[in-house]
């Protein structure tokens, strides 16, 4: 029989009604054996996420201020779920333990992790599943990095002892036994870790959208859903701001060759997006898989006659960048010119030092920094085979009156990156979408 691991995001578990949907989804398929919940998210726009309330409690306690009002809000979120589900279950003892711990200056990660912990207890009770506390089975090293191998061995063994279980997301344990959380949104990572340990056939990640969209719905009207996407394509799109899944959630399942299926808790009939290792055999209706972009980049342009024959020139430019402790995004170059695209936020307060260092190390004829660049990534595994993709992008942009400032094609031919002025960003994105999708 198949085995599926499911992760439900905060909005999927925000109230009793959402819990009912979750139970229906879980019970609809006997293969759905392991469930990873987030903490209750927002029920409506102005609502609080429980994790945010917990962080507030921690901050208040640290400042020796009263936590009562905020803590009661948290209690009420869980109490109302229990009450509305009609469960004969109480978390009063847990609330008391957590409140006392906060007042006695418990660690920030411990406090934040209680959102998932409490939601996991309720969900396990409601589903009739066992409860597995990741504090005992998901391990971090002393330096704070996740210990994937130790976790995989121990968690695999423990899962074998439980036919069906709920494992709260977001946290694990440090070698000294204290709790450590992943970064925000980290329940996605837990889901992936559990899927790998369970050797699942699929990792279903249930959220409030029906999968990855081909473009940002705030910028493009009704963008189409991506049916299948490879891990590599996803990485390119996520890097450029298309976020549905935590970036690090890819690694455990990718390593084990387990596909991720992004699904919508509110529309379980929709198939969502399948994220797979290879999709060379999966036909897609479009040459491109998706488009994503971001504003806020700067370009450092360097010119020097005969740069092409000066050995070590590029290395010296990168050395200056390294000295400023910044990463670079792209490195388009010509014969006597070299440009380095960097995130504008990264050079705040370092501009003069960066220019001075590059000048000192390379003695250029000209150097300048230009801001307000937007980058757009056009991503698609089918681009390798399709002739004329770049030409179509450029003519669409030219027809829309957009001036292209930079072009970079990844060596895998998986993406084409275009740099345009921030003022042209939305026009450019729409023009490319219309060219390939409409
Ligand atoms: N509850 C945590 C957060 O809000 C983790 C998660 O939801 O994945 O970041």
């Amino acid at each position: 029989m198949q085995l599926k691991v499911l992760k439900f995001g905060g909005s999927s578990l925000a109230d009793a009604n959402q819990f009912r949907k979750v139970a229906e989804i879980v019970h609809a398929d006997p293969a759905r054996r392991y469930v990873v919940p987030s903490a209750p998210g927002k029920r409506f726009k102005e609502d609080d996420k429980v994790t945010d309330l917990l962080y507030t409690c921690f901050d208040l306690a640290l400042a020796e201020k009263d936590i009562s009002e905020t803590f009661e809000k948290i209690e009420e979120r869980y109490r109302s779920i229990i009450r509305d589900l009609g469960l004969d279950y109480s978390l009063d003892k847990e609330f008391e333990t957590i409140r006392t711990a906060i007042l006695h200056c418990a660690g920030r990660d411990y406090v934040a992790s209680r959102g998932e912990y409490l939601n996991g207890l309720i969900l396990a009770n409601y589903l009739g599943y066992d409860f597995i506390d990741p504090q005992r089975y998901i391990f971090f090293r002393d330096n704070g990095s996740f210990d994937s191998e130790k976790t995989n061995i121990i968690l695999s063994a423990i899962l074998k002892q439980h036919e069906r279980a709920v494992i709260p997301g977001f946290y694990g344990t440090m070698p000294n036994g204290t709790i450590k959380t992943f970064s925000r949104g980290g329940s996605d990572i837990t889901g992936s870790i559990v899927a790998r340990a369970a050797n699942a056939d699929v990792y279903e990640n249930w959220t409030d959208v029906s999968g990855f969209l081909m473009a940002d719905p705030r910028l493009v009207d009704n963008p189409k859903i991506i049916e299948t996407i490879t891990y590599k394509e996803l990485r390119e799109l996520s890097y450029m701001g298309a976020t549905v899944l935590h970036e690090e959630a890819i690694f455990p399942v990718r390593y084990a060759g387990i596909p991720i299926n992004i699904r919508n808790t509110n529309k379980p009939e929709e198939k969502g997006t399948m994220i797979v290792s290879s999709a060379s055999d999966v036909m897609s209706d479009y040459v491109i898989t998706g488009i994503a972009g971001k504003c806020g980049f700067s370009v450092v342009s360097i010119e020097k006659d005969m740069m092409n024959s000066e050995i070590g020139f590029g290395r010296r430019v990168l050395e200056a960048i390294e000295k400023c402790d910044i990463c670079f995004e792209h490195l388009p170059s010509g014969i006597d010119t070299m440009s380095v695209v960097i995130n504008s936020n990264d050079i705040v307060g370092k501009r003069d030092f960066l220019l001075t260092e590059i000048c000192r190390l390379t003695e250029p004829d000209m150097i300048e920094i230009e801001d307000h660049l937007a980058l757009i990534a056009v991503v698609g595994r089918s681009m390798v085979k399709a002739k004329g993709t770049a030409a179509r992008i450029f003519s669409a942009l030219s027809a829309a009156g957009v001036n292209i400032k930079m072009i970079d094609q990844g060596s895998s031919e998986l993406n084409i990156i275009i740099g345009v002025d921030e003022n042209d960003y939305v026009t450019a994105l729409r023009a490319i979408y219309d060219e390939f999708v409409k």
Side-chain angles (χ1 to χ4, degrees):
M1 189 179 69
Q2 278 217 326
L3 193 162
K4 296 179 181 172
V5 170
L6 287 70
K7 178 257 168 179
F8 288 92
S11 60
S12 301
L13 290 164
D15 60 20
N17 200 26
Q18 292 301 88
F19 264 70
R20 280 190 202 100
K21 292 182 193 170
V22 166
E24 207 165 301
I25 291 166
V26 173
H27 293 318
D29 182 349
R32 292 179 169 146
R33 288 175 41 196
Y34 300 114
V35 182
V36 175
S38 281
K42 293 185 180 202
R43 295 159 293 184
F44 44 88
K45 204 160 166 257
E46 302 74 30
D47 199 15
D48 297 302
K49 286 173 114 188
V50 165
T51 309
D52 291 332
L53 292 173
L54 286 162
Y55 280 123
T56 306
C57 276
F58 173 82
D59 291 339
L60 287 170
L62 199 67
E64 294 183 9
K65 294 201 177 125
D66 187 14
I67 66 163
S68 305
E69 198 185 320
T70 316
F71 198 78
E72 273 152 29
K73 266 194 199 170
I74 298 170
E75 287 184 358
E76 182 45 29
R77 286 295 297 270
Y78 291 108
R79 285 210 172 98
S80 67
I81 294 173
I82 294 173
R83 196 173 49 236
D84 296 349
L85 289 176
L87 294 177
D88 179 18
Y89 187 62
S90 164
L91 286 174
D92 287 354
K93 271 205 186 117
E94 302 287 346
F95 291 147
E96 201 38 51
T97 310
I98 297 167
R99 179 196 276 267
T100 311
I102 296 176
L103 294 175
H104 287 86
C105 297
R108 191 169 188 269
D109 283 9
Y110 163 82
V111 177
S113 74
R114 296 304 84 186
E116 271 67 14
Y117 171 74
L118 294 171
N119 228 20
L121 287 174
I122 300 178
L123 188 63
N125 182 285
Y126 185 50
L127 293 175
Y129 276 30
D130 296 344
F131 179 82
I132 297 180
D133 192 344
Q135 183 177 9
R136 299 179 55 201
Y137 309 111
I138 290 188
F139 301 95
F140 290 89
R141 300 187 188 90
D142 273 324
N143 65 7
S145 63
F146 167 58
D147 191 339
S148 60
E149 291 322 304
K150 180 174 176 189
T151 300
N152 197 48
I153 294 168
I154 295 180
L155 189 60
S156 300
I158 219 67
L159 291 176
K160 287 205 178 80
Q161 298 168 22
H162 298 266
E163 179 66 17
R164 297 175 184 278
V166 169
I167 306 107
F170 194 37
Y171 69 93
T173 180
M174 289 294 283
N176 66 5
T178 56
I179 280 185
K180 172 159 174 62
T181 61
F182 292 103
S183 54
R184 293 299 305 262
S187 299
D188 282 342
I189 309 176
T190 309
S192 183
I193 292 167
V194 174
R196 179 183 170 206
N199 198 11
D201 293 284
V202 58
Y203 167 26
E204 293 181 345
N205 188 292
W206 292 81
T207 173
D208 53 4
V209 291
S210 295
F212 272 94
L213 301 172
M214 290 188 77
D216 186 336
R218 290 166 301 186
L219 307 177
V220 168
D221 265 351
N222 249 327
K224 296 227 160 30
I225 291 171
I226 302 174
E227 280 181 20
T228 308
I229 185 169
T230 63
Y231 289 122
K232 277 191 188 150
E233 291 173 311
L234 178 70
R235 172 117 177 89
E236 300 284 346
L237 288 174
S238 310
Y239 187 67
M240 283 303 235
T243 47
V244 173
L245 194 69
H246 192 295
E247 247 191 337
E248 292 164 43
I250 290 178
F251 300 109
V253 278
R254 181 177 180 176
Y255 185 77
I258 300 167
I260 308 176
N261 188 193
I262 306 288
R263 300 285 292 265
N264 188 344
T265 305
N266 305 314
K267 293 184 185 165
E269 66 287 356
E270 295 188 356
K271 284 194 299 189
T273 299
M274 264 305 200
I275 309 168
V276 296
S277 344
S278 158
S280 46
D281 48 342
V282 182
M283 289 299 290
S284 157
D285 292 343
Y286 309 103
V287 173
I288 63 167
T289 302
I291 313 164
K294 268 196 223 167
C295 292
F297 292 96
S298 302
V299 192
V300 186
S301 304
I302 307 145
E303 267 181 47
K304 186 173 186 185
D305 281 346
M306 303 301 289
M307 176 195 288
N308 65 322
S309 55
E310 195 178 315
I311 290 171
F313 189 91
R315 184 186 52 72
R316 286 193 289 278
V317 171
L318 295 183
E319 187 183 323
I321 290 178
E322 188 181 349
K323 279 211 168 127
C324 292
D325 201 22
I326 49 185
C327 301
F328 70 91
E329 306 281 331
H330 297 280
L331 210 59
S333 63
I335 303 173
D336 291 333
T337 62
M338 185 169 164
S339 308
V340 189
V341 179
I342 39 196
N343 197 314
S344 307
N345 286 335
D346 291 351
I347 48 171
V348 174
K350 297 178 178 172
R351 292 172 96 92
D352 289 345
F353 181 60
L354 177 64
L355 290 175
T356 315
E357 271 307 288
I358 298 178
C359 289
R360 187 178 69 79
L361 289 163
T362 65
E363 297 175 351
D365 298 334
M366 190 285 296
I367 179 164
E368 63 174 12
I369 301 185
E370 199 190 333
D371 299 315
H372 306 298
L373 183 79
L375 294 181
I376 299 175
V378 186
V379 177
R381 59 189 179 275
S382 310
M383 287 188 333
V384 190
K385 285 174 258 150
K387 291 199 180 88
T389 310
R392 283 175 71 187
I393 296 174
F394 302 145
S395 40
L397 292 179
S398 140
V402 174
N403 178 30
I404 301 175
K405 300 191 136 209
M406 187 210 86
I407 303 161
D408 198 0
Q409 176 163 32
S411 52
S412 58
E413 279 193 60
L414 193 67
N415 61 357
I416 296 176
I417 311 272
I418 321 280
V420 299
D421 190 285
E422 281 178 353
N423 292 322
D424 289 332
Y425 172 57
V426 178
T427 313
L429 206 116
R430 286 182 185 152
I432 300 173
Y433 183 84
D434 289 348
E435 167 63 30
F436 288 94
V437 188
K438 278 227 164 122

